[in-house]
Amino acid sequence: MNLANVSMRKAVLIPGDGIGPEITDAVIGVLDAAGVAIEWDRHYAGLAALDDSGDVLPQATIDAITRHKVALKGPCTTPVGEGFASVNVRLRKTFNLYAAVRPVRNLPGVETRYQNVDLVIVRENTEGLYSGVENEVTPGVVMSMKVATETGCRRIAHWAFRYATQRKRKKITVFHKANIMKMTDGLFLRMAENAHKKDYPNIRYESAIIDAGCMRLVQDPSQFDVLLLENLYGDVVSDLCAGFVGGLGVVPGANFGETEAIFEAVHGSAPDIAGRNVANPLALLMSAVMMLNYLTENEGDEAFGQAAERIRAAYDRALTDGEKTRDLGGTLDTDQFAQAVVQRL
Ligand code: NAI
């Protein structure tokens, strides 16, 4: 499409680490082919930024997100058990992106053990055990603090019920461990119950202790609609649910605050397959589709939503035609799958 006379909206692109640059290139190729009028302001975070600027989250990246309000982000590596703090956690805290949303749905042409999966995970993104408050009490004794605030628990509960109402979802299930963590998970649970009773009585509400909830999930995920979880549970259950529909290559995500939104796949930087052009770009492409729909809902420009629908229909057709990357049992490389989507736009 000729974009010469179209006014371009700017958005931040963070390629990320590991498979990040490969899948972001593939996704931008599809968005360009679909005629999406976005000018990408490319900035770095994670290891890629560390090499360049000495910081995993450079001020220039923060400034660009503040300016443009939306970002599409590839995954960023965090060292295990040592080294710098997660840039993902820092980004979420910097912009107060308290609501993470991960839709998990069966896709056409992707056979799994589970059918009729159509659930949405809403994860509190700024509190819980991800507060990063860890210390050594005495040699050999370390502790990590789980933080829950009334404000944080209330706002994510209301966010989830508002989301469920707008998307015509019927039920919210809270997973918790308030039998053990009576204060922190107890507060989370109480705020969700209050939101339901006071403001959203028309959305069905239930709660489950997370261990039994996970058992019910793997028995029959189709019984769930919207799952509301605190930070750590949401992180773990997101990957678990990805397994229902084909794995981490097919589950998108978005992180919302009051003014900024960052769109990224649920998966990480997949160092085991990085640099080989075999990663599935679909989860990031689906995250980009979420971003386009968000732009239409927030800024009223229908063209983004229309492009989102064309892209969604194109990847559905590609999958139905058996055009798949290796993680889904196919043979396509990253760029070949992107090309298969482009051919069907
Ligand atoms: P991971 O999600 O990167 O990989 C787990 C498994 O799934 C690997 O076998 C990988 O090859 C496969 N996989 C992931 N995405 C794939 C894709 N698009 N296509 C095909 N296969 C895919 O999780 P892991 O290995 O635990 O973490 C690696 C790094 O990513 C860590 O440094 C972690 O901190 C970081 N991470 C970053 C996230 C983010 O930036 N939002 C989220 C999760 C992890």
Side-chain angles (χ1 to χ4, degrees):
M1 182 186 269
N2 181 7
L3 293 174
N5 297 320
V6 178
S7 79
M8 304 281 269
R9 194 213 188 279
K10 285 193 175 175
V12 178
L13 180 69
I14 299 172
D17 302 318
I19 60 172
E22 303 159 49
I23 57 173
T24 42
D25 278 356
V27 167
I28 297 305
V30 175
L31 298 191
D32 284 349
V36 170
I38 290 182
E39 185 183 333
W40 298 100
D41 191 4
R42 194 176 276 257
H43 283 273
Y44 294 91
L47 286 175
L50 193 61
D51 295 344
D52 206 42
S53 71
D55 187 357
V56 287
L57 185 53
Q59 191 58 42
T61 304
I62 295 175
D63 291 344
I65 298 172
T66 307
R67 217 166 31 248
H68 305 313
K69 308 286 182 240
V70 289
L72 182 63
K73 172 183 167 293
C76 294
T77 298
T78 310
V80 176
E82 57 178 15
F84 58 82
S86 163
V87 68
N88 304 309
V89 173
R90 265 183 72 192
L91 266 173
R92 291 164 195 167
K93 284 197 176 157
T94 302
F95 292 103
N96 218 348
L97 304 172
Y98 62 88
V101 182
R102 282 101 184 256
V104 182
R105 289 191 195 99
N106 285 115
L107 287 164
V110 180
E111 294 288 316
T112 71
R113 293 192 191 92
Y114 296 88
Q115 280 89 46
N116 306 318
V117 181
D118 179 10
L119 58 87
V120 180
I121 291 165
V122 176
R123 163 187 174 189
E124 202 294 321
N125 227 5
T126 56
E127 300 193 335
L129 277 164
Y130 286 40
S131 303
V133 186
E134 283 195 317
N135 65 313
E136 185 176 44
V137 181
T138 188
V141 182
V142 289
M143 66 172 213
S144 185
M145 196 183 289
K146 178 160 175 161
V147 179
T149 67
E150 204 170 303
T151 306
C153 295
R154 189 187 297 114
R155 73 180 174 183
I156 191 66
H158 278 265
W159 199 97
F161 277 102
R162 213 165 40 243
Y163 175 91
T165 307
Q166 284 163 358
R167 306 287 160 136
K168 305 207 179 340
R169 294 269 167 177
K170 301 275 179 281
K171 183 174 76 167
I172 290 192
T173 308
V174 175
F175 280 2
H176 66 89
K177 198 75 193 173
N179 50 332
I180 306 296
M181 282 161 278
K182 296 176 195 294
M183 292 184 81
T184 47
D185 282 21
L187 181 62
F188 193 85
L189 189 59
R190 214 166 50 251
M191 290 298 119
E193 282 168 2
N194 285 351
H196 164 63
K197 281 199 189 117
K198 276 182 58 199
D199 296 309
Y200 299 93
N202 296 333
I203 304 281
R204 273 168 55 214
Y205 168 81
E206 64 173 3
S207 62
I209 294 178
I210 187 163
D211 33 1
C214 285
M215 189 274 300
R216 282 176 56 199
L217 254 181
V218 296
Q219 278 185 328
D220 179 14
S222 71
Q223 67 187 289
F224 294 100
D225 191 352
V226 175
L227 289 175
L228 171 60
L229 307 100
E230 64 85 82
N231 210 340
L232 174 64
Y233 307 153
D235 194 359
V236 175
V237 171
S238 295
D239 281 35
L240 171 76
C241 289
F244 298 145
V245 293
L248 286 165
V250 297
V251 178
N255 307 289
F256 295 109
E258 296 300 346
T259 42
E260 285 86 10
I262 299 183
F263 297 80
E264 63 179 339
V266 168
H267 64 71
S269 56
D272 53 335
I273 56 168
R276 290 169 36 203
N277 190 30
V278 296
N280 190 348
L282 185 52
L284 188 66
L285 182 60
M286 294 165 86
S287 310
V289 163
M290 287 175 77
M291 174 175 152
L292 297 176
N293 285 324
Y294 169 83
L295 288 176
T296 289
E297 282 163 24
N298 269 267
E299 298 175 4
D301 186 341
E302 296 292 333
F304 290 121
Q306 286 159 4
E309 185 46 35
R310 276 203 307 284
I311 295 168
R312 197 196 56 73
Y315 67 64
D316 273 0
R317 269 198 296 278
L319 295 172
T320 309
D321 292 345
E323 306 279 13
K324 293 182 225 170
T325 45
R326 289 169 176 75
D327 55 311
L328 300 179
T331 55
L332 298 188
D333 289 338
T334 307
D335 51 3
Q336 289 172 329
F337 177 74
Q339 212 41 50
V341 176
V342 167
Q343 281 159 8
R344 289 163 178 79
L345 279 169

